[in-house]
Amino acid sequence: MLTCAQTWPEPIVRVQSLAESGLNSIPSCYIKPTSQRPSKTTLTSRIDRIDINIPLIDLEHVFSEDQVLRETVLKNVSEACREWGFFQVVNHGIDHELMKSAKEVWREFFNLPLEVKEEFANSPSTYEGYGSRLGVKKGAILDWSDYFFLHYMPPSLRNQAKWPALPSSLRKVINEYSEEVVKLGGRILELMSTNLGLKEDFLMNAFGGENELGACLRVNFYPKCPQPDLTLGLSSHSDPGGMTILLPDDFVSGLQVRKENDWITVKPVPNAFIINIGDQIQVMSNAIYKSVEHRVIVNPIQDRVSLAMFYNPKSDLLIQPAKELVTEEKPALYPPMTYDEYRLYIRMKGPCGKAQVESLASEM
């Protein structure tokens, strides 16, 4: 079985501690190459000033007995998946107070003394815990963020002893929040399966079923940054898993989605989740749906917190294009590979655009 490094290649520095030290310029290890920087035109581009945003979908009628209303929702999801790979959903069935509480307990955690947080310091072997970097390449250019990563599904990997004990309500809130978000993910998979012309439960079964699929939460903390034009909170990448369900910060925008040659800053809608397609659904759909590059910019004045639930296939299942979507005219674009094998790439190299999934297609 493929394994990742057991230790980080360099001493870990917490970005939040750097930001709170009052520094006026960022260390060189966070300065991106010129071509990767969020240029000043990106931060205040014309595309941000006009009303361009990822699609917003109302799920209220998704299971309606009124076929016309249901078909409208399905059509909207289909268009968003094919044209954007990203969309926001409202009327998703998750209590707004629970969403608010989830963000609040994590903000409280990141505001705890450093020594309390360091009790949960992670390693690259599993990434579970309190971390500040992705990838194990020595001398890599780092992102301006800290995070906490935990496993929720399958239940065999869920270990609340590895979750923060403070604030005291965190474990209860996050268990309840995660349970609801995983249910929402199942409903979204059903819509995607139906729109692809597959059986409603196809993607769920391909992920390993309700009890064996993978779901892990990464809580991102993006500290304020004195030179936001030189760095990124999270470098450009597509998500290696199946699908991501993001609860964004209510007050500070930061997520940018690539649309052709533009970077579009997502404007979060109150009480909405942001959903995006990952590489595994690109593979399963034989590229009918495509994962999309995205990145995070940082703010010179305000910190930002977001919760990303990664909805993934069971780690040892072979993932490959659905046979129903493979024809003579459109043969399979990707070779079979387990998710364990696939995600080793980002765990070792860090975020690298869409280099990984595109390299798979070139092997065929």
Side-chain angles (χ1 to χ4, degrees):
M1 180 178 167
L2 295 169
T3 57
C4 198
Q6 298 297 307
T7 58
W8 301 112
E10 294 135 342
I12 293 294
V13 176
R14 303 304 179 187
V15 179
Q16 185 179 5
S17 297
L18 285 175
E20 291 174 352
S21 71
L23 78 177
N24 295 315
S25 58
I26 62 175
S28 59
C29 60
Y30 296 97
I31 298 176
K32 302 295 180 183
T34 305
S35 63
Q36 296 176 23
R37 294 177 193 172
S39 66
K40 290 177 181 175
T41 54
T42 302
L43 293 175
T44 57
S45 70
R46 61 171 182 81
I47 213 161
D48 286 339
R49 293 200 298 269
I50 57 180
D51 190 25
I52 293 182
N53 203 2
I54 61 174
L56 174 64
I57 298 173
D58 188 335
L59 296 180
E60 181 180 4
H61 299 296
V62 70
F63 295 113
S64 172
E65 293 182 8
D66 185 321
Q67 197 61 23
V68 174
L69 294 175
R70 175 173 161 77
E71 288 295 333
T72 299
V73 178
L74 283 165
K75 179 174 176 288
N76 291 339
V77 171
S78 178
E79 288 177 356
C81 289
R82 290 171 183 264
E83 296 174 16
W84 283 86
F86 263 86
F87 53 97
Q88 299 190 68
V89 294
V90 293
N91 288 321
H92 40 64
I94 298 181
D95 182 73
H96 296 170
E97 285 302 313
L98 178 60
M99 296 164 69
K100 181 181 176 183
S101 296
K103 282 183 280 195
E104 286 176 349
V105 293
W106 281 111
R107 188 170 280 282
E108 285 182 49
F109 169 78
F110 282 105
N111 286 329
L112 290 171
L114 182 60
E115 60 269 21
V116 176
K117 293 178 288 190
E118 288 291 358
E119 293 176 17
F120 297 93
N122 72 350
S123 78
S125 59
T126 67
Y127 276 84
E128 194 165 13
Y130 176 51
S132 298
R133 69 177 289 164
L134 297 170
V136 292
K137 180 182 175 185
K138 191 170 184 178
I141 303 297
L142 304 176
D143 290 333
W144 191 262
S145 58
D146 299 324
Y147 63 85
F148 198 101
F149 184 89
L150 61 85
H151 290 289
Y152 186 74
M153 290 290 293
S156 59
L157 291 181
R158 188 188 312 161
N159 182 357
Q160 290 200 19
K162 294 183 178 181
W163 302 6
L166 294 173
S168 58
S169 60
L170 186 145
R171 291 177 179 176
K172 180 178 183 295
V173 169
I174 295 311
N175 189 63
E176 184 179 347
Y177 171 83
S178 299
E179 181 180 1
E180 293 302 313
V181 174
V182 167
K183 288 178 187 174
L184 173 61
R187 294 194 291 272
I188 300 296
L189 284 188
E190 288 181 5
L191 300 180
M192 289 183 181
S193 295
T194 300
N195 283 332
L196 287 167
L198 303 167
K199 290 182 179 178
E200 190 178 72
D201 61 357
F202 179 88
L203 287 174
M204 176 61 79
N205 290 336
F207 274 47
E210 288 182 359
N211 296 320
E212 292 297 323
L213 63 85
C216 42
L217 180 69
R218 189 177 74 210
V219 185
N220 306 296
F221 186 84
Y222 302 104
K224 62 184 180 182
C225 178
Q227 294 177 299
D229 54 325
L230 297 183
T231 191
L232 289 166
L234 189 56
S235 295
S236 173
H237 66 290
S238 61
D239 289 341
M243 172 177 66
T244 303
I245 303 175
L246 179 77
L247 181 59
D249 194 289
D250 285 330
F251 307 108
V252 187
S253 295
L255 174 65
Q256 291 189 326
V257 175
R258 184 187 283 279
K259 182 68 169 169
E260 297 169 352
N261 293 320
D262 284 311
W263 285 103
I264 296 175
T265 301
V266 174
K267 303 165 188 69
V269 172
N271 300 313
F273 283 99
I274 298 170
I275 294 176
N276 67 278
I277 288 167
D279 294 347
Q280 304 306 302
I281 285 182
Q282 175 168 330
V283 169
M284 292 176 185
S285 71
N286 208 26
I288 294 173
Y289 295 165
K290 293 184 176 71
S291 59
V292 174
E293 274 186 79
H294 51 287
R295 67 184 188 183
V296 176
I297 57 175
V298 287
N299 190 285
I301 301 168
Q302 293 176 285
D303 299 333
R304 181 170 170 271
V305 174
S306 67
L307 282 67
M309 181 68 80
F310 300 115
Y311 207 91
N312 301 326
K314 186 171 182 283
S315 62
D316 58 357
L317 286 181
L318 272 183
I319 303 302
Q320 58 192 320
K323 291 180 171 56
E324 296 87 338
L325 303 178
V326 175
T327 64
E328 282 188 25
E329 294 75 29
K330 188 172 184 183
L333 297 175
Y334 310 99
M337 179 181 287
T338 68
Y339 181 52
D340 251 349
E341 294 171 316
Y342 190 90
R343 67 181 168 188
L344 184 67
Y345 183 99
I346 194 169
R347 288 188 169 188
M348 294 183 72
K349 298 190 177 184
C352 300
K354 288 200 67 172
Q356 184 179 10
V357 73
E358 288 172 357
S359 71
L360 282 186
S362 68
E363 293 173 10
M364 295 294 285

